[in-house]
Amino acid sequence: MAAGALAAEVTARIDAELATHPCQTRADRMLLEDFSRQRARPRSVTVNIPGGATRTGVLVTRSNGAYTLVYMPEIELFSLCVDSIFGPVDIGVHGTALACFASV
């Protein structure tokens, strides 16, 4: 899949998830606000996988100083990554965008 098409697909997935996320409590609203503030323009990024492997993902959020959210097309899931001097490192937290983002 071309980079532009993948970025559009990731954006559509996130938009659909945000549109269906219940916003009933203050915590729900805070999560959506925090996610919206951190959201980044999708772009390709190399993700380091424990054991020395790397995969190409799509950046979803800017770093909050410790974590970055990346979409991993090979597994069709979002991945919470810890920031390192070598780039984002997959820490094994996978799922929907908001669930991964909220796990910090």
Side-chain angles (χ1 to χ4, degrees):
M1 182 178 294
L6 182 56
E9 177 188 330
V10 171
T11 297
R13 282 178 184 252
I14 293 169
D15 290 345
E17 186 177 339
L18 294 175
T20 60
H21 184 75
C23 199
Q24 300 170 344
T25 66
R26 183 170 186 262
D28 291 332
R29 288 187 297 278
M30 290 175 63
L31 173 62
L32 292 175
E33 289 170 6
D34 288 346
F35 184 84
S36 294
R37 267 194 302 277
Q38 290 299 119
R39 196 167 172 183
R41 185 176 184 185
R43 64 175 173 84
S44 291
V45 63
T46 300
V47 177
N48 297 288
I49 309 296
T54 61
R55 300 285 184 269
T56 300
V58 178
L59 183 75
V60 174
T61 64
R62 293 181 307 279
S63 172
N64 69 356
Y67 298 96
T68 302
L69 186 66
V70 176
Y71 178 74
M72 301 300 289
E74 287 185 16
I75 60 173
E76 297 183 352
L77 292 171
F78 293 88
S79 172
L80 185 65
C81 296
V82 68
D83 300 336
S84 79
I85 62 170
F86 305 107
V89 178
D90 185 310
I91 58 173
V93 177
H94 301 122
T96 64
L98 289 173
C100 290
F101 184 81
S103 67
V104 185

